[in-house]
Amino acid sequence: MANNEHKLTAYGRKDEGKGASRRLRRAGRLPAVVYGGGAEPMSIELEQEPTWLAQQNDWFYSSIINLSVDGKVQQVLLRDMQRHPYKQIIMHLDFQRVKAGEKIHVKVPLHFINIEESPAGKAADVSVTSEMNDVAIVCLPKDLPEFIEVDLGKIDAGDTVKLSAVTLPNRPSASIAPVNLSRESAKYLISGGNSVRTRSSVLLRLATICSSSLVESIARVRSSRCWLSWSV
């Protein structure tokens, strides 16, 4: 899971405001901002097409990006992206500069492997469904994994995969970030029905404050399915 080098090219811009942003988009470019790292915020612009292609990859959201602004390279993380509601257009990007010696908080995607070879994957009446697609990691920039593999080769119907069983890549400073959620919020999410199964990381958050019986009850939503629930 070694990190690859990811690059984007940008240019500084002086024109700001909604009118300037609309002109950029009509010209095939998009507005963005870079901030943090002990330096002043900087307004920039990027080419729309290569950036749109880049954002289709996991690394765009969870890896350190070498952003070249007018030829000067700075390491950044994507912190916010606004898309057009129906066009294939990025409206705006926010990048945060990172420092080598300061820890960062990043959501890293989970890659599930060997599902087809597992007893659950081979069973005709069992569907393996994930409740999480990413996990928050705290680490130094050099130790940020691009993704985390979760081996499901031995999972069977009725099994529960716990977050504590997930092995992080060999990165000395990397750890799973703690998640805080009040009991009132937990009750609200439970009462929401489908929201419990569709919102990323919900079961992890519930498991940090609720009893194991709660996790088990969610894991047995349907007897004919093998749900992947997460607890610590």
Side-chain angles (χ1 to χ4, degrees):
M1 297 187 189
N3 285 351
N4 297 316
E5 186 173 314
H6 305 294
K7 301 178 181 179
L8 289 176
T9 301
Y11 307 93
R13 63 184 175 95
K14 295 181 179 179
D15 293 338
E16 299 183 10
K18 293 183 178 180
S21 296
R22 284 194 292 267
R23 289 192 293 271
L24 278 178
R25 297 185 193 104
R26 285 197 295 267
R29 298 190 293 274
L30 66 101
V33 64
V34 186
Y35 61 89
E40 291 295 321
M42 182 179 184
S43 297
I44 60 174
E45 61 184 72
L46 298 90
E47 295 294 332
Q48 183 74 241
E49 184 175 356
T51 308
W52 179 264
L53 294 175
Q55 64 86 35
Q56 298 179 38
N57 300 283
D58 281 345
W59 62 258
F60 191 79
Y61 307 92
S62 59
S63 296
I64 303 296
I65 298 173
N66 290 324
L67 181 67
S68 174
V69 181
D70 296 329
K72 183 179 179 181
V73 177
Q74 45 195 311
Q75 291 193 320
V76 301
L77 280 169
L78 178 71
R79 286 307 192 188
D80 187 58
M81 179 169 69
Q82 300 172 23
R83 295 186 181 92
H84 193 278
Y86 58 88
K87 296 181 181 178
Q88 290 189 346
I89 293 176
I90 300 172
M91 304 296 287
H92 193 274
L93 295 173
D94 286 10
F95 294 103
Q96 180 184 3
R97 302 182 186 95
V98 298
K99 289 185 176 181
E102 292 185 0
K103 288 190 174 184
I104 52 178
H105 186 290
V106 185
K107 284 189 175 181
V108 176
L110 299 172
H111 287 187
F112 302 101
I113 61 173
N114 298 326
I115 298 177
E116 294 78 7
E117 288 74 28
S118 68
K122 294 177 180 178
D125 59 345
V126 173
S127 176
V128 180
T129 305
S130 170
E131 297 289 351
M132 294 177 62
N133 294 315
D134 54 45
V135 64
I137 297 293
V138 176
C139 65
L140 293 174
K142 67 181 181 63
D143 292 332
L144 178 63
E146 193 166 310
F147 58 87
I148 297 173
E149 286 188 344
V150 182
D151 190 349
L152 302 181
K154 296 181 179 180
I155 193 169
D156 205 345
D159 285 353
T160 299
V161 178
K162 295 184 178 182
L163 189 58
S164 57
V166 175
T167 302
L168 289 176
N170 186 21
R171 309 294 169 90
S173 69
S175 62
I176 295 175
V179 182
N180 296 317
L181 185 69
S182 67
R183 186 171 296 275
E184 290 71 21
S185 297
K187 291 179 180 178
Y188 174 78
L189 291 173
I190 295 167
S191 67
N194 290 336
S195 64
V196 174
R197 295 202 297 270
T198 57
R199 288 192 58 182
S200 173
S201 304
V202 164
L203 287 188
L204 168 62
R205 296 171 181 174
L206 292 177
T208 62
I209 60 168
C210 299
S211 66
S212 59
S213 61
L214 171 62
V215 178
E216 291 171 357
S217 65
I218 297 176
R220 294 196 297 265
V221 173
R222 295 182 184 178
S223 59
S224 62
R225 290 177 178 264
C226 175
W227 296 92
L228 300 186
S229 65
W230 299 87
S231 61
V232 292

